[in-house]
Amino acid sequence: MNQTSGDKAAASTDAIILAGSRPDGDAMADSRGIAVKALIPVADKAMLAHVAEALLHHKAINNLHLLAQDFKPFWKHFDTKFLESDERVKTHKSSATIAASMNDVLSEDDARFPVLITTADNVLLNEAMIGEFLDAAGSSDIAIAVVEKQVLLKSYPASQRTWLTLRGGQYSGANLFYFGSPQARQILDYWAEVEQDRKKGWKILTIFGPWLLFLAVTRMLTVDQIAARIGKRLGLTIKIVRMSQAEACIDVDKESDLVMVEQILAARG
């Protein structure tokens, strides 16, 4: 049987989970007296455990890298202490920002590409999502997962998300990213500039010049055309992956998200 480029990428892919704390703390964790957000229980299991198990159980994932400021809370917690003894799990102390932390990990001598990147609050991540994303990412330098508005609202009409409106559709970001080559690291310079404004969809486009921003806000470009223009400027192949599962863009950012996620997990059984 012939392998597609997506199959080859998925054959050996490392994964990174961003499991650190925000500098100013997290309201959900603080209100529960929990050390870090990643340990908030969702359906009676710490968020990080949901995500780590989904990745470690997937045949495409090789090593799992955890980024956090302090790992002691994880090793002491019943749901996540197994990660300390798993030889596939590697730990990396977070820097001041996500972009800096990512750059530190991916610039190490033993860093492996490709790598899938997600967050500890991406609790609904499952085997199908991981496979779909990696297969679609293929041989790209960078892949970014999104969910189209109609896909989400068809299944969850009450869901409140931040939408980026472009020619041809409205999109919400999913916490799934793919770096297929070391060259992809250069996008981290731009990531650092918009990190504090991640909910402002237009912010990143200002970095690539007023003309691109103008074409975007006037809806003269599709999301794929924007990715192509940014990729051309950076010398990278950037792919936008439209996820078929609405749940791909539902993470646990607020209390209402937690309620919805627990309902979805209960329905999954």
Side-chain angles (χ1 to χ4, degrees), residues 1-13 59-60 114 131-140 178 239:
M1 180 182 293
N2 293 328
Q3 281 189 307
T4 65
S5 57
D7 293 330
K8 292 177 181 177
S12 181
T13 303
K59 64 182 180 181
E132 178 182 27
F133 181 61
L134 290 177
D135 286 344
S139 58
S140 61
Y178 173 89
K239 185 169 185 178

Side-chain angles (χ1 to χ4, degrees), residues 229-250:
R229 288 186 180 231
I230 295 174
K232 184 176 181 180
R233 175 166 178 167
L234 299 178
L236 300 173
T237 301
I238 301 178
K239 185 169 185 178
I240 304 298
V241 178
R242 294 165 176 79
M243 301 295 290
S244 64
Q245 292 189 55
E247 295 84 358
C249 72
I250 302 176

Side-chain angles (χ1 to χ4, degrees), residues 132 144-157 159 161-174 222-224 240-250:
E132 178 182 27
I144 302 168
V146 300
V147 172
E148 294 184 90
K149 186 173 184 178
Q150 62 267 31
V151 172
L152 178 66
L153 297 186
K154 181 179 179 180
S155 298
Y156 305 102
S159 181
R161 312 303 303 172
T162 300
W163 300 103
L164 182 63
T165 302
L166 298 167
R167 179 182 177 185
Q170 292 179 279
Y171 307 91
S172 180
T222 66
V223 66
D224 299 301
I240 304 298
V241 178
R242 294 165 176 79
M243 301 295 290
S244 64
Q245 292 189 55
E247 295 84 358
C249 72
I250 302 176

